[in-house]
Amino acid sequence: MSVFMDLNLSFTADKKLLQSVVETAAHLGFSTVAINYVFEPTAKKKQDIPSPTPINELIDQLPVVQGRSRPIRVLNRLTIVMSDSSHFRPNAAEYRCFDLLAVQPTTDKLFHAVDRGVVFEVSYSAAIRDSTMRRYTIANAVSLMDTCKGKNVILSSAAEKPLELRGPYDITNLGLLFGLSDGDAKEAVSSTCRSVVLHAETRRTASGIISTMRSCSESSCQQEAPPAAADSEAPAAKRAKHQLPDD
């Protein structure tokens, strides 16, 4: 049986809403999710990297995954919106409280400078919120698939509320619309995500990274996994790409 993952649930300080999103993900059959914090450094002033809230403070009781007898696994993810290469320091101590680390380059030059072994991420929730974003999301995703040939891609929601989540098989169908083959679309919500998480779990001795363009243990720190995704908020295909460097 496949193990499905959604490695991008948007963080909110509204605990009740966040718990509802996680419960919905478990009901839809996702075994692992990641709560995503976004950090956008600026050159004008020094900013503190956010610290993840311990999972047991966000969610009173982890829901059981539909069709399985175990509770959902919840990870923490940090996405760094990178407008300059100096904004990303993969070995920084501040990153170690995050299970997954994503980089979102804001320029084409930075995007192509991302390290080899990248995993790309396409997030679909913006396409649900807005018809214009739907066109951008599809166009960006198709452009990305042409570039990466459908390999090393994960599909995630970036959901802010429960109604923006879709089940694994619906997401697989979306993957076909984005230009993925049937096999690659299934892997994009299962085995490729698992590889990202496993690689991230080596972070304490090595380094795992996720990169997105456009921009700790189960209670607080577990380990870092790489992200990259097609960002649906930008009209240009380039800005829709997220990458997860393997490092």
Side-chain angles (χ1 to χ4, degrees), residues 203-217:
R203 195 182 94 193
R204 297 202 176 189
T205 54
S207 193
I209 304 163
I210 294 177
S211 138
T212 87
M213 186 164 168
R214 179 195 136 139
S215 14
C216 295
S217 80

Side-chain angles (χ1 to χ4, degrees), residues 58-171:
L58 288 175
I59 302 171
D60 296 330
Q61 183 173 3
L62 293 175
V64 174
V65 178
Q66 180 73 25
R68 295 177 177 270
S69 58
R70 65 185 66 177
I72 193 170
R73 183 186 184 195
V74 182
L75 307 176
N76 288 312
R77 162 180 164 174
L78 176 66
T79 297
I80 303 164
V81 181
M82 188 174 71
S83 57
D84 185 276
S85 59
S86 64
H87 292 161
F88 179 60
R89 307 182 311 280
N91 297 316
E94 298 94 329
Y95 296 159
R96 297 203 173 263
C97 282
F98 290 93
D99 305 308
L100 308 182
L101 178 60
V103 178
Q104 184 176 325
T106 59
T107 68
D108 188 58
K109 181 179 179 181
L110 287 172
F111 179 78
H112 288 292
V114 175
D115 209 346
R116 64 188 178 281
V118 162
V119 175
F120 297 91
E121 173 188 48
V122 178
S123 298
Y124 62 81
S125 62
I128 296 173
R129 299 182 200 123
D130 182 88
S131 59
T132 300
M133 289 298 103
R134 184 177 306 122
R135 293 195 297 272
Y136 290 153
T137 299
I138 295 172
N140 289 339
V142 169
S143 177
L144 175 62
M145 301 316 157
D146 287 343
T147 300
C148 69
K149 309 304 179 187
K151 303 301 180 184
N152 295 333
V153 173
I154 66 172
L155 299 176
S156 66
S157 66
E160 297 176 356
K161 48 192 176 183
L163 289 176
E164 294 174 353
L165 284 166
R166 295 294 182 269
Y169 297 105
D170 289 333
I171 298 171

Side-chain angles (χ1 to χ4, degrees), residues 218-231:
E218 221 170 67
S219 58
S220 67
C221 251
Q222 276 183 339
Q223 279 153 344
E224 162 183 294
D231 188 351

